[in-house]
Amino acid sequence: MKNAPLRKNICKICGRVSTKEFCEFHEEALRRLKEHFQIWKERKCIGWEDYLIEILKNERTGSWIKEVAEHLIRESR
Amino acid sequence: MPYQLIICEKPSAAMKIAYALGGMRVKKRWYRGLPVFWVDLEGKRAAVVPALGHLYGAEQNSIGWSFPIFDLRWAPLKDRRKRRWIEAISEIAKGADSYVCACDYDIEGSLIGYTILRYACGGADIKARRMKFSTLTREELRAAYANSKDRLDYEMVYAGKVRHEVDWIFGVNTSRALMDALGSVGGGFEILSAGRVQSPTLYALYKREVAINLHVPDPFWTLSSEVVIRGIKYPAEYKVKEFFSKKDAEDVAERCKGKKGHVKDLLVKKRILPPPPPFNLGDLQREAYRVFGYSPSKTQRIAERLYLSAAISYPRTSSQKLPQSLGLRRIIEKLGRIERYREVVSRILERGMLKPREGKLTDLAHPAIHPTGTLPSRMSAEEVKVYDLIVRRFFATFGEKAILEEREAVVEVNERDLFKVRVRDLVESGWMEYYSPYILWGKAEGQRERFEAADEALIEKVDVEDKFTSPPDRYTASKLIAYMERQGLGTKSTRAEIIDNLYKRDYIEGKEVRVTDLGFAVVDILKRFFPELVSVKMTSALEEEMMDIERGRKDNVEVVLKAIDAIKPVFERIITKYEEIGEELLEVMEQLRINILGPCPRCGSGSMRIVKSRKTGKRFIGCDNYPNLCNFSCPLPQEGKVSRSKVDCDFCGFPVIEVRNGWRKWRFCINEECPSKKKYL
Ligand SMILES: [Zn+2]
């Protein structure tokens, strides 16, 4: 027998197959969102929640980043 | 009485060639749907016969479905009109005693002529002569006929053959692997297309799309400043371009605004701008995109029409050379008969020496794209534009260098804050005058009041501006062609077509290219299971070898065998992974199908799709007939996997949608006016 796939999780945002909470793209988006928060914190003295709102409003923000930010905002409510 | 058979690439070229060789005594006769141009060549009759592009292609040699498969043969393409033409050409060939290939002088043309001579004319390729020409002008065609070579250009034929064979092997095996994999898990019969050049190209777009989707903008600040010197206001640049703290930027602004200083340093630089080289296809495509916004494939089509009407030379060239043997003076003189070029022409001829600037790139078969001096009687508005661009570019190569003067002043205030002021003046316009409608920064800016060292300077404006880092730019078709050129993907003749195919297959969309969900899914699968197929490395190495065949340095059979050796293990490895790939494919197919939820319940003719609002980014269900015929829409929860349930609504009969989010699952009717509304079924 071959190894049965241990996963069959589904990305909470897009429904793609994933091994974690999110698919690889949204997982990477989450990582970058966290990473860039350090820069924003330093330059704008901003908190996590406000950061997410700013990111969501910004027209340069990538769509996967926006989707993750939106998801996090919704979850925190 | 036996006659000569002259094979051309397409009907319009056949007509040109027939009239060029036969003068006015050309007799056009139809033979079983095939136009044949009968001409008299010094007492000998000849039949000038067109093909319809390729009439033959690679196909499987054995019978049945097997994988991997490397056994191919050349056979008539499965197209009824083309098959009829093959039959007609074979009939005519029976009465011929000599043969000439007059297809376009390039890889594809050589292959088209070769396959017809070999397979439709009973192996006549070995006794055929080859005409070599770069323009369809009468003089050149007559010379090409008189000086035709006594053998086909087999180097080009073989290079083309290898390209088709290798592409066939890659394409057929990849699709078969995908379909077999899907079949192994009980999936349906879906065709996913992949190609040797197409896939790495799509992959480049995919990577760009990923980078854009994952972009997090970072805040920074800049200063926007203006300095007044001798009463004239100039935009200026502070020595620090980006600030990472708003306060630092504000501090500078505050202490500099309204301050007086002086020009501390003055740097005067002369920049020499040599004339541009003449166009090759890639350069023409890029310039036509910049100037007219034409897609590369559109430009290529227009250029090919201009070539067929003998107005310009053969456009599918990579050369940036204009050899004197083209009769440059004669071409320029002929162009001088056209009113709008008369003045430029007389200025070029006045200079006496006609030495064009050339670029480094060469082409084995053709010179750079240039006008022939023959003006077609009728041109469409688009043809006029591209023609003018080509003519003026041709003129520009004979121009003198342009000289630009850049003056850069460093203004100091507060004994430490430095601002740079830059002014550019075109001192000599040189070649730019010949090319003036298409010059980037307009005509000479005229003599400005010039500033000098030690002049007094006033910092009139210093504003702090909020900025954010930008995502990378999307590719446009013309930037994509440049990328493919750099990576050695495809050839000058195939690039635009490959990009067109990506659009046709719905893998990409938009002028600023966006990869669709389908395109994403295809790359995801290929990248995981056929990494070699999306890699630039394998494809560009092969292109290099095909060039070597064309130069007569490599054997074609050897190159095909080597390609098979390289790709075989990829396919063999795949067989052991069928189930895994199949599962994944099923999932992807399902996902893609999900986006289409069936026929629209309101208009009946459109289909309901999950769409994202451009404005809010929120998803909803909409009819694809929107906004013309139908405005059906239905809001959707923003998260979870959406599908159409098998049942329809008990109350109103509209479709019912199912949403799954993790372990939660619910259904609702998509009719907003349904009596069941707000009450999940
Ligand atoms: Zn996801």
Side-chain angles (χ1 to χ4, degrees), chain B residues 223-229 232-237 258 419 421 458-463:
Chain B
L223 294 177
S224 156
S225 7
E226 281 171 3
V227 172
V228 176
I229 309 171
I232 295 175
K233 203 190 284 177
Y234 300 95
E237 194 178 74
F419 292 83
V421 177
L458 169 72
I459 311 295
E460 194 175 81
K461 177 187 133 183
V462 195
D463 290 343

Side-chain angles (χ1 to χ4, degrees), chain B residues 14-30:
Chain B
M15 195 170 79
K16 278 265 169 215
I17 290 168
Y19 280 98
L21 301 183
M24 294 325 283
R25 284 167 306 150
V26 175
K27 288 202 189 82
K28 184 179 178 183
R29 296 282 178 271
W30 292 90

Side-chain angles (χ1 to χ4, degrees), chain A residues 2 7-8 10 12-17 24-25 28-29 32-33 36 39-40 42-44 51 54-55 58 60-65 67 70-71 74, chain B residues 206 210-221 244 246 468-471 520 524 527 576 579 583-584 587 591 612 618 638-641 660-661:
Chain A
K2 269 180 277 174
R7 45 198 180 119
K8 275 298 158 186
I10 273 174
K12 278 189 166 178
I13 292 172
C14 64
R16 257 180 229 265
V17 184
E24 54 167 327
F25 298 126
E28 175 64 13
R32 292 200 188 188
L33 206 50
H36 283 260
I39 299 172
W40 279 68
E42 241 168 62
R43 297 188 188 170
K44 288 206 133 181
Y51 164 66
E54 288 287 316
I55 282 289
N58 197 303
R60 286 159 210 260
T61 305
S63 57
W64 294 335
I65 304 284
E67 284 161 3
E70 205 178 354
H71 174 86
R74 199 174 303 125
Chain B
Y206 167 101
V210 167
I212 293 169
N213 287 348
L214 286 174
H215 179 72
V216 183
D218 287 330
F220 65 94
W221 293 268
F244 300 123
K246 191 171 191 178
F468 293 95
T469 53
S470 298
F520 245 93
D524 270 345
K527 186 171 69 126
T576 64
E579 278 179 42
E583 295 269 346
E584 185 116 344
E587 195 84 35
Q591 281 255 318
K612 253 191 186 176
K618 296 236 187 324
Q638 293 309 302
E639 288 176 17
K641 199 169 158 181
R660 263 196 301 169
N661 190 2

